């Protein structure tokens, strides 16, 4: 047994009780934050004088938004392994009686690859998705039949074009969200700001997601599906995912089958124990190794299909991951 493994074995004696407390804390905060966040964002609603109906807006995830109170806490509880490779926009909870329509022409004109998720509120459970790699859409407005209730929308643009706009949304045949252009400077500011998030790390964020590292270390003894749901509570079903722990003083090495690169866009993110991103990139080569990791944490590889693929196309052996120590002592890792 390697020195690191021996250390982790003894470390688990205090890690597991702390992880259990962290899990309880996460569940409690997850239930509370959306309610507080909804009260906070009510001031953003506008009443149209002519129709007296509520008009909602997309919340583009930007530097300005991330600096607002509760926003980072909201992200770290509703989508804790949040996607730092895409332009992201979300909506406030929208009440729906029967159906919701989305003008996807804005999505098609804005990005090479995109997806929109519909999530129940306040549970945050994914209900439906539409994505660019699905069979070609026949109509500009895509209608989704939903059960009565409140829903959030989450939009992701990958490989976006120079001109980016957020789509109009109609609820029960009433347009409640208008098309909105996104300023390119706001996009650049957002991605330049992401590495600075580490400066905001504190004991609250650390304890909120502290348990994730522990369950990944112990995942061979835990139900596989439960671990996946805790790590990826709102994972896009259109994507494939590979994830695992990372250790301070190690590098993460990936080997990719050419078929994987041909059929998927490959995105890597490494997180610290607070689930704040410490590194992210798109991988376009069959071999890739990160620099030495400076803190314990975990990694996530997102595999996004480039076209409408057969669900059985992806093979686990198309990607392998390995943790390599500074003294070239290898250890395996990165199971799905």
């Amino acid at each position: 047994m390697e020195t690191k493994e021996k250390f982790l074995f003894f470390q688990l004696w205090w890690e597991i009780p702390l992880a259990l407390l962290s899990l309880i804390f996460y569940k409690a905060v997850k239930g509370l934050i959306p309610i507080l966040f909804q009260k906070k964002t009510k001031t953003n609603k506008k009443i149209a004088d002519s129709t007296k109906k509520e008009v909602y807006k997309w919340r583009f995830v930007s530097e300005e938004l991330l600096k607002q109170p509760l926003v980072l806490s909201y992200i770290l509880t509703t989508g804790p392994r949040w996607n730092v490779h895409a332009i992201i926009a979300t909506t406030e909870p929208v009440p729906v009686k029967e159906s919701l329509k989305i003008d996807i022409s804005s999505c098609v004109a804005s990005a090479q690859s995109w997806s929109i998720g519909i999530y129940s509120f306040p549970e945050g459970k994914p209900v439906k998705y539409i994505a660019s790699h699905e069979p070609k859409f026949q109509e500009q407005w895509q209608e989704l039949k939903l059960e009565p209730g409140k829903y959030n929308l989450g939009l992701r643009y990958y490989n976006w074009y120079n001109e980016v706009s957020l789509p109009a949304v109609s609820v029960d045949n009433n347009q409640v969200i208008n098309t909105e252009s996104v300023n390119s400077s706001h996009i650049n500011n957002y991605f330049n700001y992401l590495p600075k998030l580490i400066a905001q790390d504190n004991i609250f964020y650390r304890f909120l997601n502290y348990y994730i590292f522990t369950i990944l270390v112990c995942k061979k003894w835990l139900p596989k599906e439960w671990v996946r749901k805790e790590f990826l509570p709102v994972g896009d079903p259109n994507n494939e995912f590979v994830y695992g722990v990372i250790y301070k003083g190690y590098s993460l090495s990936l080997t990719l089958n050419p078929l994987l690169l041909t059929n998927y866009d490959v995105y890597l993110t490494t997180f610290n124990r607070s689930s704040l991103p410490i590194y992210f990139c798109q991988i376009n080569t069959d071999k890739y190794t990160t620099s030495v990791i400076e803190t314990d944490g975990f990694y996530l590889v997102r595999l996004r299909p480039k076209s409408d693929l057969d669900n059985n196309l992806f093979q686990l052996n198309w990607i392998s991951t390995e943790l390599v120590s500074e003294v070239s002592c290898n250890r395996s890792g990165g199971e799905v």
Side-chain angles (χ1 to χ4, degrees), residues 25-277:
F25 182 66
Y26 172 82
K27 298 296 183 182
V29 174
K30 183 179 181 179
L32 180 63
I33 287 292
I35 298 173
L36 296 176
F37 195 78
Q38 185 187 26
K39 291 181 180 180
K40 172 182 173 294
T41 55
K42 279 184 178 180
T43 57
N44 295 331
K45 294 182 180 179
K46 298 181 180 178
I47 305 298
D49 293 334
S50 58
T51 61
K52 300 298 181 182
K53 68 179 181 181
E54 288 184 319
V55 177
Y56 298 80
K57 293 188 67 176
W58 286 102
R59 293 190 298 248
F60 167 63
V61 179
S62 62
E63 177 182 356
E64 292 76 13
L65 183 66
L66 289 172
K67 287 182 176 179
Q68 293 180 17
L70 293 179
V71 170
L72 190 53
S73 298
Y74 180 82
I75 291 174
L76 292 178
T77 50
T78 58
R81 259 54 69 194
W82 54 307
N83 191 338
V84 294
H85 304 277
I87 293 174
I88 300 176
T90 61
T91 69
E92 302 169 56
V94 178
V96 178
K97 293 181 180 179
E98 295 181 356
S99 67
L100 181 150
K101 293 181 181 180
I102 302 170
D103 179 6
I104 65 165
S105 62
S106 295
C107 304
V108 173
S110 296
Q112 179 180 341
S113 179
W114 54 268
S115 65
I116 299 176
I118 313 298
Y119 308 94
S120 63
F121 181 86
E123 298 88 356
K125 294 181 179 179
V127 177
K128 291 187 177 182
Y129 286 90
I130 56 175
S132 56
H133 60 262
E134 294 174 359
K136 295 298 181 182
F137 300 103
Q138 300 297 318
E139 299 179 1
Q140 174 182 351
W141 287 87
Q142 294 300 304
E143 183 174 14
L144 302 172
K145 296 292 186 179
L146 299 171
E147 295 292 328
K150 289 186 175 183
Y151 299 89
N152 298 100
L153 280 70
L155 168 68
R156 296 171 179 86
Y157 283 155
Y158 300 84
N159 300 323
W160 53 91
Y161 305 132
N162 292 331
E163 301 292 330
V164 174
S165 62
L166 308 176
V169 178
S170 175
V171 174
D172 300 322
N173 295 319
N174 293 316
Q175 187 166 319
V176 297
I177 300 178
N178 299 320
T179 304
E180 180 181 350
S181 297
V182 178
N183 190 308
S184 59
S185 65
H186 290 169
I187 298 173
N188 294 332
N189 290 343
Y190 165 62
F191 285 98
N192 291 334
Y193 180 70
L194 286 174
K196 302 176 185 177
L197 283 174
I198 301 302
Q200 299 186 37
D201 199 1
N202 56 45
I203 191 172
F204 174 82
Y205 298 137
R206 178 59 59 97
F207 199 53
L208 196 61
N209 281 281
Y210 188 87
Y211 74 100
I212 291 295
F213 177 85
T214 308
I215 67 173
L216 289 178
V217 170
C218 300
K219 65 181 179 180
K220 67 174 73 173
W221 302 300
L222 297 171
K224 182 178 179 180
E225 189 58 27
W226 179 79
V227 173
R228 178 183 174 89
K229 287 183 178 180
E230 289 300 321
F231 190 78
L232 296 169
V234 291
D236 190 332
N238 299 291
N239 297 346
E240 301 287 348
F241 301 94
V242 175
Y243 50 87
V245 294
I246 53 176
Y247 303 119
K248 180 178 180 180
Y250 285 71
S251 298
L252 177 66
S253 178
L254 296 93
T255 303
L256 311 179
N257 187 300
L259 285 172
L260 185 66
L261 293 170
T262 299
N263 293 286
Y264 292 85
D265 288 324
V266 182
Y267 301 96
L268 168 67
T269 312
T270 59
F271 302 88
N272 65 12
R273 294 199 64 169
S274 299
S275 199
L276 293 173

